Structure formats: C-alpha cells, structure tokens
Amino acid sequence: MTAPRDSGGPAALVGLLRERGLLGDPAWERAFLRVERHRFVPDVIWAVDADRSDGQLLAVGRDDPYWWQTVHQDVAIATQVDDGSPAGHGGRGRYVTSSASQPSLMLAMLDSLDATEGMRVLEIGTGTGYNAALLAARLGSARVVSVEIDAALAEHARRRLASAGFAPTVVVGDGAEGAPEHAPYDRVLATAAAGDIPYAWVAQTRPGGLVLLPWGNPYSSTGLLRLRVAADGTASGRVLTRAGFMWLRQQRAPTGGWRRYVDTGAAADVSATAVDPGDLLHLASPARFAVGALVPGLCQVVLPAADGSGESTLWLYDGSGAWASVDHVPGADIFTVEQHGRRRLWDEVERAHRWWRRSGRPDRERFGVTVTPESQTVWLDEPDHPIPAPLGG
Ligand SMILES: C[S@@+](CC[C@H](N)C(=O)[O-])C[C@H]1O[C@@H](n2cnc3c(N)ncnc32)[C@H](O)[C@@H]1O
C-alpha cells in the first residue's frame, strides 16, 4: 500500500512536527518516519458533514481525495462512529467512538511518557494500532502490550500491525483492568480519558514507573496527567497540559443530546447570580476545569442567541433530571438563573466558582491527583492540599 506522492507520506507529517519544533527526540523522529500512518487508518474514515448543521458524520472512503489529504496531516481522524453501528440519518454517524489521535498530541504524550529502550509499556486503547506501532518501532514489539475493548478494532489493528512488520501483543478486553497477565510495566499510557483512574494501572506498574493519561471530568476538556508510582503502591502527579480525548467506554458522559435530560417545561425556581457565566462558556477555560472537579456529573450545553447580540444561555444538567439555566449577557453584573430538580446545580457551580476565585483562579496545570488502592484525591499545587470534597451528586 503505497502513499500517492501528493499525500506527502510520513515525511510530510514529520516535516510538520519538525517545523513546529516538536520533534526534539531523534528516536521518536525515526519512529514517525518508519511507521506509515496510512497503513493504520481504515479504508473508511468519518468527517463532519458540511452540508448539514446537525454535526453528524459522513463516511469518507480511501478513494476520496480527502482521505489522502488528511492522513499525513497533524489532525485527529475519526475512524469509528457509534461503536461500529452508525446511528445517524442515512448511514451517518452521531458520535466518534474511535480515532487516530492527533500526531502532535501523540508525540507530546510519548515524550512525557519518557519511555526509553528496554522498558515495557502498556497502552490502553489500541484503536488503529498506529500508536502501538510507534511504541514497537522504538522499544521493540516484545515490549509493547495494547488493550482494546472493541474486538473488531483490535482485529483491524492486529492485521495492520502485522502487515507493517510489527507484532506487539494486542489484547481484547476492558483496559480499566490493565493486562495483568503481562505485567509489570515500566509505563502505562492511556489513549482514552478517565475521571476515575483505574487502580489496576498503578498496581501493574513497577515502583518508579509512570502512568500517563488524559484525566478530567466531562464538564471540561481533559488534561494530560502524569503519575509516578511509589514503592508503597500509591501514585501521584500533576496535570501537564490540555489533552482532549474521548472517554473510556464506561466513563462516557450522558449521550443523546441535552434535551433528553432537560425538561424545559418543568417548573423551575428563578433567582439571580453575580457569578459571570462567561467564565464557563469555553470548554478549555480554567474555571470550567475547576468547577468540573468540584461538581460531579456536571454537563453543559451553550446556546447562543440567534439575534447576533452575543448573548447565550448555558444549560447545565447531570443526566438524572436536575438542570439549571443561566442567561449570559456580555458586560452585565447580574444574571438570571433557573433551577429544577433534586440537585441545585447552579448553587453547586457558584460554590465551586467561589473556591476557584479564592484559590487564585488556578489553571489546570496547578491540579494534581494521588491514587491509592482505596481512593483518588485531587489536590491543588501540593499533595497535602486537597481540593474540597465534591459539593453534590
Ligand atoms: C483515541 S482512540 C485510541 C487511539 C489509538 N491509540 C491509535 O493510535 O489509533 C481510543 C480507543 O480507546 C478504546 N477504548 C475505550 N474504552 C476502552 C476500554 N475500557 N478499554 C480498552 N479500550 C477502550 C476505544 O475503543 C478507542 O479505540
């Protein structure tokens, strides 16, 4: 399977990563040159259907120029929708359930993993097999184990790995359990996000080893968390940077659209707030990361006004019937709130926002986590400075 010349092949991708100053380690540069991404990306990928406004995804085959224009670019590529059974209109997809991650993000993760020759690595989320191939190219196939929950994806990855000359161990199973039969590992790398960090990943890592994962909550985009495993079986570490990823299957946020969880016709209590909802508009905002850490199960959708005024309404919900809405009017001091249900979601958000302000408006990189067999503690700046207990849920 040869890449057409105009796709640029792996050299084009390496050129992009080099131009951006990301390829500091020559060993990873060699791996990115050797492993051809087009061998791992399936014959059908998924792209947002620009002719429709419903965000559904359209199948794009390898014979479409878009496929080749995309495959050696620094972009994530959706490779599976709706767990393999497209659920949108006319064969379209609704949700991306597997992807070939953005190469620059993969490279940042591989760099942060600090995996060197001789180490054994467990990857969670085999997906296309491309990342497993990069690890195998650097460390040797015998030192790489990868777990994928979706049997069809695992089979595709195995075949593509073999045809590219790699043979890491690909296990079909729930990555939350790790792969104990091949443990211990020097490094665990999750390529699916978790809020609750499976202790198995810590237990299967040697003392001194690292566990790297996209971590966070469904209210905000996730951050790349690096935990160092101690001899007493605990692990602790900080968020390094933002890293948006899909969730482990069993930790997905409620799906199906916000209207499924918000009964807008239900009676609601009306109040006013001085907390500016503008702090919570953007997925990557620091306030949102902190609020999500303190308010369990929180989800949000932002609906901009159609009149071009810049106003919008934030709808907050938890998937169990409670909801709140707050109207954002740019420049205002007071904002109208409505709340419905057992939980007073806006009250919880307000308390969390107050804590965030009093703590000096911390960004995600000031947060860290300590994991023990019994618990997971989120802290600010230092492990002995835990954030307050969740406010509701
Ligand atoms: C972003 S993709 C991984 C990309 C992949 N590393 C690559 O190089 O193509 C995330 C993958 O995690 C898988 N996944 C989700 N939950 C999982 C779980 N509990 N155990 C193992 N794999 C899981 C998904 O099926 C999906 O293929």
Side-chain angles (χ1 to χ4, degrees):
M1 192 194 303
T2 316
R5 205 175 303 156
D6 60 2
S7 84
L13 178 57
V14 165
L16 287 171
L17 299 174
R18 208 188 285 134
E19 258 169 42
R20 292 174 55 198
L22 300 174
L23 265 169
D25 182 342
W28 285 127
E29 176 161 347
R30 282 194 296 277
F32 272 88
L33 278 173
R34 181 172 161 206
V35 181
E36 299 175 303
R37 197 176 187 221
H38 67 263
R39 288 184 179 275
F40 294 89
V41 171
D43 293 343
V44 173
I45 61 174
W46 298 85
V48 172
D49 185 350
D51 294 337
R52 295 169 66 112
S53 57
D54 57 9
Q56 295 198 353
L57 298 129
L58 198 61
V60 179
R62 196 181 276 261
D63 51 356
D64 189 309
Y66 176 83
W67 195 100
W68 283 105
Q69 284 157 14
T70 310
V71 74
H72 292 298
Q73 295 300 307
D74 184 26
V75 290
I77 300 174
T79 51
Q80 187 201 56
V81 291
D82 308 321
D83 296 325
S85 304
H89 303 296
R92 289 177 168 76
R94 288 170 68 87
Y95 301 103
V96 178
T97 48
S98 189
S99 62
S101 310
Q102 185 178 10
S104 54
L105 180 53
M106 293 171 63
L107 177 58
M109 291 175 83
L110 292 167
D111 270 333
S112 305
L113 193 65
D114 199 16
T116 50
E117 284 61 23
M119 288 188 176
R120 302 189 68 248
V121 177
L122 170 65
E123 181 194 36
I124 310 298
T126 314
T128 62
Y130 178 54
N131 195 46
L134 290 168
L135 286 164
R138 169 98 193 239
L139 304 171
S141 290
R143 298 189 176 274
V144 180
V145 177
S146 185
V147 188
E148 171 57 56
I149 200 161
D150 186 301
L153 293 178
E155 185 48 33
H156 172 276
R158 262 192 214 115
R159 271 189 280 112
R160 297 300 175 97
L161 282 158
S163 78
F166 301 103
T169 303
V170 176
V171 177
V172 178
D174 181 0
E177 291 167 14
E181 64 279 24
H182 302 287
Y185 307 99
D186 300 285
R187 301 286 185 261
V188 173
L189 170 63
T191 62
D196 294 327
I197 302 167
Y199 181 71
W201 299 352
V202 176
Q204 291 169 29
T205 303
R206 286 183 213 281
L210 294 173
V211 176
L212 191 77
L213 71 145
W215 168 81
N217 52 75
Y219 186 57
S220 171
S221 65
T222 47
L224 191 58
L225 177 71
R226 185 170 58 188
L227 303 170
R228 187 163 295 277
V229 176
D232 64 0
T234 66
S236 198
R238 272 174 205 287
V239 174
L240 303 177
T241 182
R242 186 180 166 203
F245 261 89
M246 66 185 61
W247 294 91
L248 284 178
R249 226 178 234 200
Q250 55 278 66
Q251 296 195 27
R252 285 176 185 161
T255 56
W258 67 285
R259 282 199 170 275
R260 191 165 157 189
Y261 305 101
V262 176
D263 175 5
T264 49
D269 298 334
V270 181
S271 58
T273 181
V275 168
D276 186 351
D279 285 346
L280 303 170
L281 288 178
H282 303 294
L283 195 64
S285 83
R288 207 157 147 169
F289 192 78
V291 167
L294 284 169
V295 183
L298 189 64
C299 301
Q300 175 177 292
V301 66
V302 179
L303 299 187
D307 58 7
S309 59
E311 296 176 16
S312 52
T313 302
L314 280 63
W315 289 91
L316 300 139
Y317 57 98
D318 71 349
S320 74
W323 58 260
S325 72
V326 53
D327 295 327
H328 176 240
V329 180
D333 297 323
I334 298 289
F335 308 89
T336 304
V337 177
E338 292 192 30
Q339 302 194 76
H340 168 87
R342 186 179 61 81
R343 284 177 77 182
R344 304 275 98 173
L345 284 177
W346 182 257
D347 296 352
E348 292 181 36
V349 168
E350 235 185 48
R351 285 202 295 275
H353 191 274
R354 192 179 313 130
W355 173 84
W356 175 72
R357 286 197 314 273
R358 283 195 190 137
S359 305
R361 299 176 176 261
D363 212 336
R364 72 188 64 226
E365 288 80 8
R366 282 180 57 194
F367 287 84
V369 182
T370 299
V371 181
T372 73
E374 297 81 29
S375 66
Q376 174 176 316
T377 306
V378 182
W379 40 265
L380 185 67
D381 296 328
E382 298 299 335
D384 59 2
H385 190 191
I387 66 169
L391 303 166

